[in-house]
């Protein structure tokens, strides 16, 4: 079966920069990337590359930064008062800062350290970079085959959570809908 929008796929991939340096590898982590083709949340160039592939097929794609995580956004640099951090926090250029926002977890890199503030970069770490992916489609399932198992990706998070719990999957109320779907697809 050829991959089409709406299909659920499992893909192994290896991501590298232009110089060949590896930045991610699903095989090293021991788990495939599971997603519904054509839904938001995955970089467009990666999503488009799997369309038309079949189970077991491999391909290498090169994505310009604009097809991947885009260009860095200057507005994603924010000056934050040091007072908003714990007293024992060590401020170091290049350090990673994590936290929560009304939209969920956030991650930023410290770009500058000043006397009373730091400049945080909230851009995706891969923004502005050209990327190469080696892809292998491990499995393809049509929406109909997924629905035959009693659930589908259009269901509400609470409904999916209940189905996952009944199946004994390791998800909870803090799991995102995407995480619950990935657990159900595994």
């Amino acid at each position: 079966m050829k991959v089409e929008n709406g299909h659920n796929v499992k893909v192994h991939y290896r991501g590298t920069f232009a110089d060949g340096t590896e930045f991610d590898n699903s095989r090293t982590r021991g788990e495939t990337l599971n997603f519904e083709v054509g839904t938001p949340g995955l970089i467009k160039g990666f999503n488009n590359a799997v369309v038309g592939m079949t189970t077991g097929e491999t391909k290498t794609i090169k994505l310009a930064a604009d097809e991947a995580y885009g260009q860095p956004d200057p507005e994603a640099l924010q000056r934050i008062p040091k007072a908003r951090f714990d007293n024992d926090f060590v401020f170091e250029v290049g350090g990673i800062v994590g936290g929560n926002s009304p939209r969920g977890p956030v991650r930023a890199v410290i770009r500058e350290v000043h006397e009373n503030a730091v400049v945080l970069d909230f851009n995706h770490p891969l923004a502005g970079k050209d990327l190469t992916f080696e892809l292998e489609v491990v499995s393809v399932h049509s929406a109909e085959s997924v629905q035959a198992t009693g659930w589908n990706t259009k269901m509400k998070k609470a409904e999916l959570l209940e189905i996952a719990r009944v199946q004994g999957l390791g998800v909870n109320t803090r799991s995102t809908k995407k995480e619950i779907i990935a657990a159900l697809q595994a």
Side-chain angles (χ1 to χ4, degrees):
M1 171 187 318
K2 286 192 174 194
V3 175
E4 298 175 8
N5 281 332
H7 284 169
N8 292 282
V9 296
K10 293 183 180 186
V11 176
H12 267 304
Y13 67 93
R14 178 177 179 260
T16 57
F17 297 118
D19 68 359
T21 303
E22 184 176 284
F23 64 85
D24 197 5
N25 188 326
S26 65
R27 291 187 192 282
T28 302
R29 283 193 322 278
E31 62 183 56
T32 56
L33 173 64
N34 308 330
F35 63 98
E36 182 180 338
V37 180
T39 59
L42 191 67
I43 58 175
K44 189 174 186 176
F46 191 104
N47 183 86
N48 292 345
V50 299
V51 172
M53 292 180 72
T54 59
T55 301
E57 186 176 348
T58 61
K59 105 171 27 168
T60 299
I61 61 168
K62 294 182 184 234
L63 301 178
D66 290 336
E67 298 173 290
Y69 291 94
Q71 296 299 328
D73 179 359
E75 292 185 26
L77 297 174
Q78 295 182 17
R79 189 177 184 95
I80 307 293
K82 285 183 175 180
R84 293 190 48 197
F85 293 84
D86 291 337
N87 290 335
D88 59 347
F89 188 87
V90 178
F91 298 97
E92 188 175 309
V93 172
I96 306 296
V97 176
N100 291 304
S101 77
R103 294 181 185 161
V106 293
R107 178 188 172 283
V109 176
I110 299 173
R111 294 291 179 212
E112 299 174 18
V113 178
H114 301 278
E115 185 176 336
N116 294 316
V118 293
V119 175
L120 299 181
D121 183 350
F122 288 93
N123 282 295
H124 190 283
L126 299 177
K129 300 192 184 316
D130 296 338
L131 307 176
T132 299
F133 289 98
E134 296 168 11
L135 308 173
E136 178 188 3
V137 174
V138 176
S139 69
V140 181
H141 301 283
S142 68
E144 293 79 25
S145 68
V146 171
Q147 290 171 353
T149 63
W151 66 274
N152 66 64
T153 57
K154 292 182 178 31
M155 294 174 79
K156 293 182 180 177
K157 176 184 171 185
E159 296 168 314
L160 293 168
L161 180 60
E162 185 58 33
I163 292 167
R165 283 182 174 165
V166 167
Q167 293 182 15
L169 303 175
V171 294
N172 58 49
T173 55
R174 291 185 303 200
S175 301
T176 64
K177 183 176 179 180
K178 185 177 179 180
E179 290 169 334
I180 296 167
I181 290 170
L184 286 165
Q185 290 173 333

